[in-house]
Amino acid sequence: MIKTLAKQIKEFKAASIATPLFMILEVLMEMIIPYLMASIIDKGVNTGDIHHIYKVGGIMVVAAVIGLFAGMMGGRFGAKASAGFARNLREAMFNNIQTFSFSNIDKFSTAGLVTRMTTDVTNIQNAYQMILRMFTRAPASMICAMVMAFTINARLACIYLVAVIILGILLFLIMSHATKYFQQAFPKYDDLNESVQENVSAIRVVKAYVREEQETSKLRRASENIYNIFVKAETNLVFNAPMMQTAVYTCILLVSWFGAKMIASDSLTTGELMSLLTYCMNILMSLMMLSMVFVMVAMSMASARRISEVLNETSDLKNPEHPAMKVEDGSIEFRHVDFAYKKDSDEPVLEDIDLKIRSGETIGIIGGTGSAKTSLVNLISRLYDVTKGEVLVGGRNVKDYDMEVLRDQVSVVLQNNVLFSGTILDNLRWGDKEATLEECRHACELACADEFIDRFPKGYETYIEQGGSNVSGGQKQRLCIARALLKKPKVLILDDSTSAVDTATDAKIRRAFREEIPDTTKLIIAQRISSVQDADRIIVMEDGKVNGFGTHEELLEQNDIYREVYESQTSGGGDFDEKEGE
């Protein structure tokens, strides 16, 4: 885990090394000042040697300036190193997420990934800065102060040593209890983020069903869980301050008491006593500082593990050593394919799929909910790998292609249509970033999207809100189809992508496909038989198997499921789910 995170320090190694060096220099300057102050009092003030006061005072000013400079540089380099480390962690996680297959993404929730890239990275950033600065400064300050105290008077310095040992044991017990609660707290942020994310993305549904109160209650529960855990953790930490104050005042009293006696017996000077009292504060406050560093590090350990999980996750889809860089045509073949989302699953989602689709064919795919229609087409663009058998595109196994090349030639309009914030033109150019306005217009004409775009005051410069919330479902679908067409693919897959458009528009889109892109293989998943009945052939799916494959007329004659649903739909309703429920 530490090694995984340390790789992301990269160009900030120099800043990470410079920070503790400057912190040590600052500590050394701070430790010299009390020692010099003792010399001023004993050899200058008490003897009236003004020259000695000026001389040592000048050295103190120089030490203070050097210490100030070292502290400023330590803070500057520490901030640069920690902020840069956090930036690299976010970029590394985001870049790795981009390589994930759908099966990799399924392991993490959206809210969990957001928490890892925000709250968890912030925890690591704060902890890293404290490690570079305070974790260096506190032990160095404590050790130097202890050495200086023993140099001045070993007997009185033993008081500090005993106090440090007792305080260290007590602080360890407090930290160990508090750490358990902190480690429980940060995973709870996933629930909080999930609640906020769901509410914001579905705010229209929430308001339509007047569910604001229930959503508020859900958020309150998630927030309350975090609150309760932090209260328990902080309750343990409240003993830190009184313990530290007790130790400091006890040490001051003991050193003052015994020191006064030593001064009276001429075995200790006034200046040395003052220095010892200053070192007392340095030693015990360093211990306090060190305890807070341990808390911060303990808090960040849970975050570090969660970030490492994302960074160490490797895509289960790999390019071959020498990938094919060209898809010859849009032919598709399934050779006895089995598929399961989990490799150790006993029940496959798809079972013994054996199909041949010629390049340029229009293939309809119909079936009830859960019949694995989407799972079938996801294998074509290699969004998942088959469990058994082979999927071929253009006469080659999809595993032989470079994935980017394959997905450029297999354009998929997914069941959940997604538009991004930006203009209509920006969204269309996701299909081809070099596409001209005329090419975008032509794609929109094929998808029947030009009908509503031309009615917008700003046309293709109309701004689309995040997720396409300011356009209707049918408009969103048509824009997504146009975007897919701009890729000029050899295979076009429409996964129930015309469900929100009327039948007349659906027919126009299909006619445009037939006339304008005859060489592109088109796979159309639909619930309405009217959407696929003029396809060259139709696949009927049932329970992850191919129940029928043929033309509309052949299936009406030979396939009972297809015929019954067709009759139900043409007589005024009915779909595959109703058929399955009979």
Side-chain angles (χ1 to χ4, degrees), residues 82-115:
S82 60
F85 182 39
R87 185 198 70 184
N88 289 347
L89 283 176
R90 290 191 183 97
E91 287 183 0
M93 279 196 288
F94 189 81
N95 291 337
N96 200 38
I97 290 168
Q98 302 310 301
T99 69
F100 286 178
S101 67
F102 279 16
S103 59
N104 292 119
I105 293 172
D106 290 342
K107 296 180 182 178
F108 304 95
S109 67
T110 303
L113 289 174
V114 171
T115 305

Coordinates of all heavy atoms in Angstrom, one line a residue, residues 82-115:
S82 N 2.8 18.1 -0.7 CA 1.6 17.5 -0.3 C 0.5 17.7 -1.3 O -0.3 16.8 -1.7 CB 1.1 17.9 1.1 OG 0.9 19.3 1.1
A83 N 0.4 19.0 -1.8 CA -0.6 19.3 -2.8 C -0.3 18.6 -4.1 O -1.2 18.1 -4.8 CB -0.7 20.8 -3.0
G84 N 1.0 18.5 -4.5 CA 1.4 17.8 -5.7 C 1.1 16.3 -5.6 O 0.7 15.7 -6.6
F85 N 1.4 15.8 -4.4 CA 1.1 14.4 -4.2 C -0.4 14.1 -4.3 O -0.8 13.1 -5.0 CB 1.6 14.0 -2.8 CG 1.4 12.6 -2.4 CD1 1.7 11.6 -3.3 CD2 1.0 12.2 -1.1 CE1 1.5 10.2 -2.9 CE2 0.9 10.9 -0.7 CZ 1.1 9.9 -1.6
A86 N -1.2 15.0 -3.8 CA -2.7 14.8 -3.9 C -3.1 14.9 -5.3 O -4.0 14.1 -5.8 CB -3.4 15.8 -3.0
R87 N -2.5 15.8 -6.1 CA -2.9 16.0 -7.5 C -2.5 14.7 -8.3 O -3.3 14.2 -9.1 CB -2.1 17.2 -8.1 CG -2.5 17.5 -9.5 CD -1.4 18.4 -10.2 NE -0.2 17.6 -10.4 CZ 0.9 18.1 -10.9 NH1 1.0 19.4 -11.2 NH2 2.0 17.4 -11.1
N88 N -1.4 14.2 -8.0 CA -0.9 13.0 -8.7 C -1.8 11.8 -8.4 O -2.1 10.9 -9.2 CB 0.5 12.6 -8.4 CG 1.5 13.6 -9.1 OD1 1.1 14.4 -9.9 ND2 2.7 13.6 -8.6
L89 N -2.2 11.7 -7.1 CA -3.1 10.6 -6.7 C -4.4 10.7 -7.5 O -4.9 9.6 -8.0 CB -3.4 10.6 -5.2 CG -2.2 10.1 -4.3 CD1 -2.6 10.3 -2.8 CD2 -2.0 8.6 -4.5
R90 N -5.0 11.9 -7.5 CA -6.3 12.0 -8.2 C -6.1 11.7 -9.7 O -7.0 11.0 -10.3 CB -6.8 13.5 -8.1 CG -7.3 13.8 -6.7 CD -8.0 15.1 -6.7 NE -8.4 15.5 -5.3 CZ -7.7 16.3 -4.5 NH1 -6.6 16.8 -5.0 NH2 -8.2 16.5 -3.3
E91 N -5.1 12.2 -10.3 CA -4.9 11.9 -11.7 C -4.6 10.4 -12.0 O -5.2 9.8 -12.9 CB -3.7 12.7 -12.3 CG -4.0 14.2 -12.4 CD -2.8 14.9 -13.0 OE1 -1.8 14.3 -13.3 OE2 -2.9 16.2 -13.2
A92 N -3.9 9.8 -11.1 CA -3.6 8.3 -11.3 C -4.8 7.5 -11.1 O -5.1 6.6 -11.9 CB -2.5 7.9 -10.3
M93 N -5.7 7.9 -10.1 CA -6.9 7.1 -10.0 C -7.8 7.3 -11.2 O -8.4 6.4 -11.7 CB -7.6 7.6 -8.7 CG -7.1 6.9 -7.4 SD -8.2 7.1 -6.0 CE -8.0 8.8 -5.7
F94 N -8.0 8.6 -11.6 CA -8.9 8.9 -12.7 C -8.4 8.1 -14.0 O -9.2 7.5 -14.7 CB -8.9 10.4 -12.9 CG -10.0 10.8 -13.9 CD1 -11.3 10.9 -13.6 CD2 -9.7 11.0 -15.3 CE1 -12.3 11.2 -14.5 CE2 -10.6 11.4 -16.2 CZ -11.9 11.5 -15.8
N95 N -7.1 8.2 -14.2 CA -6.5 7.5 -15.4 C -6.7 6.0 -15.4 O -7.0 5.4 -16.4 CB -5.0 7.9 -15.6 CG -4.8 9.3 -15.9 OD1 -5.7 10.0 -16.5 ND2 -3.6 9.8 -15.6
N96 N -6.6 5.5 -14.2 CA -6.7 4.0 -14.0 C -8.2 3.6 -14.2 O -8.5 2.6 -14.8 CB -6.2 3.5 -12.7 CG -5.9 2.1 -12.7 OD1 -5.4 1.5 -13.6 ND2 -6.2 1.4 -11.6
I97 N -9.1 4.5 -13.7 CA -10.5 4.2 -13.9 C -10.9 4.2 -15.3 O -11.8 3.4 -15.8 CB -11.4 5.3 -13.1 CG1 -11.2 5.0 -11.6 CG2 -12.9 5.2 -13.5 CD1 -11.8 6.2 -10.8
Q98 N -10.2 5.0 -16.1 CA -10.5 5.1 -17.6 C -10.2 3.7 -18.3 O -10.8 3.4 -19.3 CB -9.8 6.2 -18.3 CG -10.1 7.6 -17.7 CD -11.6 7.9 -17.6 OE1 -12.3 7.8 -18.6 NE2 -12.0 8.2 -16.4
T99 N -9.3 3.0 -17.7 CA -8.9 1.7 -18.3 C -9.8 0.5 -17.8 O -9.7 -0.6 -18.4 CB -7.4 1.4 -17.9 OG1 -7.3 1.0 -16.5 CG2 -6.5 2.5 -18.3
F100 N -10.6 0.8 -16.9 CA -11.4 -0.3 -16.3 C -12.4 -0.8 -17.3 O -13.0 -0.1 -18.1 CB -12.2 0.2 -15.1 CG -11.4 0.4 -13.8 CD1 -12.0 0.8 -12.7 CD2 -10.1 0.1 -13.8 CE1 -11.3 1.1 -11.5 CE2 -9.3 0.3 -12.7 CZ -9.9 0.8 -11.5
S101 N -12.6 -2.1 -17.3 CA -13.7 -2.7 -18.0 C -15.0 -2.6 -17.2 O -14.9 -2.1 -16.0 CB -13.4 -4.2 -18.2 OG -13.5 -4.9 -17.0
F102 N -16.1 -2.9 -17.8 CA -17.4 -2.8 -17.0 C -17.3 -3.7 -15.8 O -17.9 -3.3 -14.7 CB -18.5 -3.2 -17.9 CG -19.0 -2.1 -18.8 CD1 -18.2 -1.0 -19.1 CD2 -20.2 -2.2 -19.5 CE1 -18.6 0.0 -19.9 CE2 -20.6 -1.2 -20.3 CZ -19.8 -0.1 -20.6
S103 N -16.7 -4.8 -15.9 CA -16.6 -5.7 -14.7 C -15.8 -5.1 -13.6 O -16.1 -5.3 -12.4 CB -16.1 -7.1 -15.1 OG -14.8 -7.0 -15.6
N104 N -14.7 -4.4 -13.9 CA -13.9 -3.6 -12.9 C -14.7 -2.6 -12.2 O -14.7 -2.4 -11.0 CB -12.7 -3.0 -13.5 CG -11.7 -4.0 -14.0 OD1 -11.4 -4.1 -15.2 ND2 -11.2 -4.9 -13.1
I105 N -15.5 -1.8 -13.1 CA -16.3 -0.7 -12.5 C -17.4 -1.2 -11.6 O -17.7 -0.6 -10.6 CB -16.9 0.1 -13.7 CG1 -15.8 0.8 -14.5 CG2 -17.9 1.1 -13.2 CD1 -16.2 1.5 -15.7
D106 N -17.9 -2.4 -11.9 CA -18.9 -3.0 -11.1 C -18.5 -3.2 -9.7 O -19.3 -3.4 -8.8 CB -19.4 -4.3 -11.7 CG -20.2 -4.1 -13.0 OD1 -20.6 -3.0 -13.2 OD2 -20.3 -5.1 -13.8
K107 N -17.2 -3.3 -9.4 CA -16.7 -3.6 -8.1 C -16.8 -2.3 -7.2 O -16.7 -2.4 -5.9 CB -15.2 -4.0 -8.1 CG -15.0 -5.3 -8.8 CD -13.5 -5.7 -8.8 CE -13.3 -7.0 -9.6 NZ -11.8 -7.3 -9.6
F108 N -16.9 -1.2 -7.8 CA -16.9 0.1 -7.0 C -18.2 0.8 -7.3 O -18.7 0.8 -8.4 CB -15.7 1.0 -7.4 CG -14.4 0.4 -7.3 CD1 -13.8 -0.2 -8.3 CD2 -13.7 0.4 -6.0 CE1 -12.5 -0.8 -8.2 CE2 -12.5 -0.2 -5.9 CZ -11.9 -0.8 -7.0
S109 N -18.7 1.4 -6.2 CA -19.9 2.3 -6.4 C -19.4 3.7 -6.9 O -18.3 4.1 -6.7 CB -20.7 2.5 -5.1 OG -19.9 3.2 -4.2
T110 N -20.3 4.4 -7.6 CA -20.0 5.7 -8.1 C -19.6 6.6 -6.9 O -18.7 7.4 -6.9 CB -21.2 6.3 -8.9 OG1 -21.5 5.4 -10.0 CG2 -20.8 7.7 -9.4
A111 N -20.5 6.6 -5.9 CA -20.3 7.4 -4.7 C -18.9 7.0 -4.0 O -18.2 7.9 -3.5 CB -21.4 7.2 -3.7
G112 N -18.6 5.8 -4.0 CA -17.3 5.3 -3.4 C -16.1 5.9 -4.2 O -15.1 6.3 -3.6
L113 N -16.2 5.9 -5.5 CA -15.1 6.5 -6.3 C -15.0 8.0 -6.1 O -13.8 8.5 -6.0 CB -15.3 6.2 -7.8 CG -15.1 4.7 -8.2 CD1 -15.5 4.5 -9.6 CD2 -13.7 4.2 -7.9
V114 N -16.1 8.6 -6.0 CA -16.1 10.1 -5.7 C -15.4 10.4 -4.4 O -14.6 11.3 -4.2 CB -17.5 10.7 -5.8 CG1 -17.5 12.1 -5.3 CG2 -18.0 10.6 -7.2
T115 N -15.8 9.6 -3.4 CA -15.2 9.8 -2.0 C -13.7 9.6 -2.0 O -13.0 10.3 -1.4 CB -15.9 8.8 -1.0 OG1 -17.3 9.0 -1.0 CG2 -15.4 9.1 0.4

